[in-house]
Amino acid sequence: MSRSPVRFTFVRHGESVANVSGRWQGQGDAPLSELGRAQAAAVAARLRAAVRFDHVVSSDLSRARDTALALGLPVDVDPALREIDVGAWEGKSQLEVASLFPDEVLHLRSGAEHVKVGGGESWAEVHARIDRAVRALRERLDGAREVGVFSHGGVLSSLFTGLFDVRGRHPRPLGHLVNTAVSVATFHADHVELERYNDGSHHASTARFSPERFGRRSAVVAAMALGTSLHVEPSLVAGVTEIFTPEEHEDEARFLHRELGVPLRVARDPLARVLEQSPPGQRVLVVASPEAIRDAAEQTLRPGARSMVKMRLPSRGSVTHLVRMPNATLLGDYSVGGVEDR
């Protein structure tokens, strides 16, 4: 394997027509929806302003390929980046799948990774496939420094759970990737440096984590990283019901308090403790240092002993979402929005 560092920008495809209909799409070729095309244009504009790719590669399925083509650059296609093959589930609604395949659904909901979904692929097979694909990319693109990879939510989630060594953990402790989410990681010889995970801040339809996505018994903490300046993106702070801050950031927090018109409290507890104490059904904003947010993200995720990941400090003005559910906590995203540090 090449030992030259390679910075990968991983992008999930835009919304597809199957996403809209709520039907299973694995390796079926559902095209982008109208909203999906708008999301693809938004992520392309963001990436063109932030990075100069040496190479762009995509799944050969049209929803990923067309998202990549919005960049206006040559795109290589690689079938190894396809979504999981869901076999007989393809094109069916969740209710239909639950009715026709109850045993499979039961096993998969319990975290089974060797069950072939609809007779197609198992998650264990997907894990092996995406690991091989990324290794092959590194070897084939020796000398490339910036690589864009356009793929699918299940496959990219599989990659990151492997990097963090949390495969097999149920419920999965990493947030589900939103459409056109940007995740950036530099692969070194002996570790992976994570810059961003699941960042959809370039389009309003994908930017916000909310308790509604997880149920009324869940709490969401949006942790905003402060630095030399405070850059506030409205979509990332919309819907918060309360602001917490340590004393050293009270001045900055009062600015947000005035802007959002929600109560402000000085929190002396660590960020992870604020997550534990946050009321169910609420989305609270915590103003904190980048170091405190990185530590809380690692504590929430609890990477495995073989994790390859070192988390870069979140960029100033970015938001990281921590979610407490009744039976688990998860890292919804990391270093979303804010100032792009390239």
Side-chain angles (χ1 to χ4, degrees):
M1 179 183 292
S2 167
R3 303 187 70 86
S4 302
V6 182
R7 189 167 179 269
F8 284 98
T9 298
F10 298 98
V11 183
R12 186 192 173 198
H13 62 79
E15 180 191 76
S16 71
V17 295
N19 291 150
V20 176
S21 66
R23 295 188 174 275
W24 281 90
Q25 59 173 350
Q27 297 189 0
D29 206 8
L32 293 175
S33 67
E34 183 177 351
L35 174 59
R37 291 191 292 273
Q39 293 168 340
V43 74
R46 169 185 179 168
L47 295 175
R48 282 194 298 267
V51 59
R52 298 185 67 177
F53 289 118
D54 300 314
H55 194 86
V56 178
V57 61
S58 168
S59 158
D60 61 338
L61 299 178
S62 64
R63 58 189 184 272
R65 185 185 66 247
D66 289 349
T67 303
L69 287 170
L71 281 171
L73 298 173
V75 176
D76 189 16
V77 294
D78 185 352
L81 297 174
R82 283 186 171 195
E83 183 59 285
I84 183 173
D85 180 358
V86 297
W89 291 22
E90 186 76 42
K92 293 181 173 60
S93 69
Q94 292 190 10
L95 286 176
E96 289 171 331
V97 166
S99 174
L100 293 170
F101 308 97
D103 291 339
E104 280 184 25
V105 171
L106 181 63
H107 289 308
L108 289 164
R109 283 181 176 173
S110 69
E113 296 199 337
H114 293 279
V115 174
K116 291 183 180 292
V117 181
E121 279 184 297
S122 70
W123 281 110
E125 290 170 329
V126 173
H127 297 335
R129 172 160 61 87
I130 188 59
D131 291 348
R132 287 195 303 268
V134 172
R135 284 197 301 268
L137 269 176
R138 290 200 63 188
E139 293 168 358
R140 179 163 59 90
L141 301 177
D142 189 10
R145 298 178 61 85
E146 296 278 0
V147 177
V149 178
F150 289 72
S151 187
H152 305 265
V155 170
L156 293 179
S157 294
S158 169
L159 172 66
F160 280 96
T161 57
L163 295 177
F164 277 107
D165 189 27
V166 295
R167 287 175 180 164
R169 195 180 299 174
H170 184 74
R172 189 177 65 191
L174 274 173
H176 177 73
L177 290 164
V178 298
N179 288 119
T180 63
V182 174
S183 301
V184 183
T186 299
F187 284 58
H188 299 268
D190 59 350
H191 73 280
V192 175
E193 182 184 26
L194 181 71
E195 295 179 31
R196 294 175 182 269
Y197 175 76
N198 202 14
D199 184 350
S201 59
H202 44 271
H203 198 279
S205 66
T206 61
R208 180 182 153 208
F209 261 72
S210 63
E212 291 81 4
R213 293 178 60 179
F214 304 97
R216 296 181 179 179
R217 297 169 60 195
S218 299
V220 176
V221 167
M224 175 170 283
L226 293 186
T228 56
S229 63
L230 181 61
H231 175 68
V232 181
E233 296 186 29
S235 61
L236 294 180
V237 295
V240 301
T241 54
E242 201 163 15
I243 302 172
F244 290 80
T245 183
E247 291 179 351
E248 60 266 30
H249 300 312
E250 188 169 350
D251 289 343
E252 295 93 336
R254 287 201 177 279
F255 167 77
L256 291 170
H257 163 67
R258 291 190 296 270
E259 288 287 308
L260 302 177
V262 298
L264 169 66
R265 296 188 186 183
V266 176
R268 294 177 177 82
D269 292 322
L271 182 50
R273 181 66 174 161
V274 173
L275 175 62
E276 292 175 7
Q277 296 176 337
S278 295
Q282 302 297 310
R283 184 170 188 260
V284 302
L285 178 66
V286 177
V287 179
S289 69
E291 292 80 6
I293 293 172
R294 181 186 60 189
D295 293 347
E298 291 178 341
Q299 185 173 343
T300 299
L301 181 59
R302 296 183 296 112
R306 295 177 297 175
S307 172
M308 299 178 63
V309 180
K310 296 181 180 179
M311 300 178 78
R312 178 185 286 192
L313 291 176
S315 60
R316 60 187 184 275
S318 69
V319 170
T320 293
H321 287 97
L322 314 174
V323 182
R324 190 193 76 239
M325 299 179 293
N327 59 344
T329 59
L330 66 82
L331 178 63
D333 52 35
Y334 186 73
S335 194
V336 172
V339 178
E340 299 259 12
D341 296 321
R342 297 286 175 172

